[in-house]
Amino acid sequence: MKDRNFDDLAEKFSQNIYGTAKGQIRQAILRDELDEILPTLPAGPLSIVDAGGGMGQISSGLAASGHHVLLGDVSGKMLERAEENAQRLGVSGNMVFKQMRVQDIADHLDKPADLVLFHAVLEWVAEPETALKAIYDVLTPGGVLSLMFYNQNGLVMQNLTLGNFGYLRADMKKRKKRTLSPDYPRDPVQVYHWLTECGFIIEQRAGIRVFSDFIRDMPPSANGFDGILEMERRFSRQEPFLSLGRYIHVTARKPLQKDQL
C-alpha cells in the first residue's frame, strides 16, 4: 500500500471537488470551523501548515489574512495549481510550496506550527497513525490540528439509500484504483482513538454534508443552495446527523506543557 498521488487526476480533481455545490458546502463548513479555531490561537501571524493541501483553497484565505502558510503535497501538478491560485489571489508572499509527504513534515519546518490543516487526506494515506503522529510532533503546545476525513458511515448510508447492496456485501472495495473515490474510508471511532493515542485532545466535531448527498428531489420552497447550506450548518454538530456526514471535521489540540498552564 502507498499514499495516493493526484498528478494523473489534477484537472478532474479541480472540477469535481472544488467546482461543485458539494465542494462549496464543504468549504463553507470548514471555514466555519476555522473561524472558531483561530481566536483560540496566539494573536499575530500564525505559522500554518496545509498538509496535502491540494490547490490551497482554504489556506490561501488564511494567507490573505496575514498568516504564514507552508503548503505541502505529494503531487507536483497540484502544487503548480496551488501556486497559480496564490498568485491570482495576491497571497504568494505569505505562502511556501513544498512537494512532500505528510510523514516528512518535520523535515520542512524550522519552527513548530500553530495550526495544521489536514483536510481530505487521511483517507488516501496508507499509514494514518504515522501521519497523525508526525503532525502532533510538529505542533507547538496548544497548537491545533484541523482534521477532515472521509467518513465510512456516510459512505455506507449513501449506498444503502441507493440500493447498492452488492457493493456493501463486497465491503465497499474499489473496482478501479485510479479514481476520486477514497482508497481508505475511515471509521470515526478508530480515527478518534488514533488521535487520543497520539496525545491530542478532541475539542469539537462537525459533520460535513450530513444530508445533502442523499437528496433526490428538492422542492422549490427549500430555497435551493442557500437553504441546503443553512440546514447543513444547523445540523452539522448535532447527533446523529454529525456521524453520518460524508466527511467529519475534528478540532484536535496538542496539550499545553505544565509550565504553560
Side-chain angles (χ1 to χ4, degrees), residues 135-156:
I135 291 172
Y136 183 88
D137 288 344
V138 301
L139 276 169
T140 189
V144 171
L145 164 63
S146 168
L147 171 68
M148 181 183 75
F149 64 91
Y150 192 76
N151 177 20
Q152 187 179 70
N153 294 340
L155 181 61
V156 170

Side-chain angles (χ1 to χ4, degrees), residues 168-218:
L168 292 168
R169 292 185 184 108
D171 296 325
M172 300 187 296
K173 294 179 180 177
K174 291 173 61 175
R175 294 180 180 177
K176 297 180 180 179
K177 296 299 182 183
R178 311 299 285 181
T179 72
L180 292 180
S181 177
D183 291 340
Y184 312 108
R186 298 302 181 189
D187 176 353
V189 173
Q190 189 172 53
V191 173
Y192 306 150
H193 174 73
W194 289 335
L195 288 169
T196 55
E197 283 291 299
C198 285
F200 283 107
I201 298 171
I202 296 174
E203 295 186 342
Q204 181 72 280
R205 298 178 301 127
I208 297 176
R209 304 206 317 259
V210 299
F211 77 92
S212 54
D213 283 13
F214 308 134
I215 293 173
R216 296 296 172 262
D217 297 302
M218 183 62 66

Side-chain angles (χ1 to χ4, degrees), residues 45-67:
L46 299 172
S47 174
I48 298 174
V49 178
D50 192 355
M55 290 178 61
Q57 302 293 88
I58 292 289
S59 55
S60 59
L62 295 170
S65 297
H67 303 298

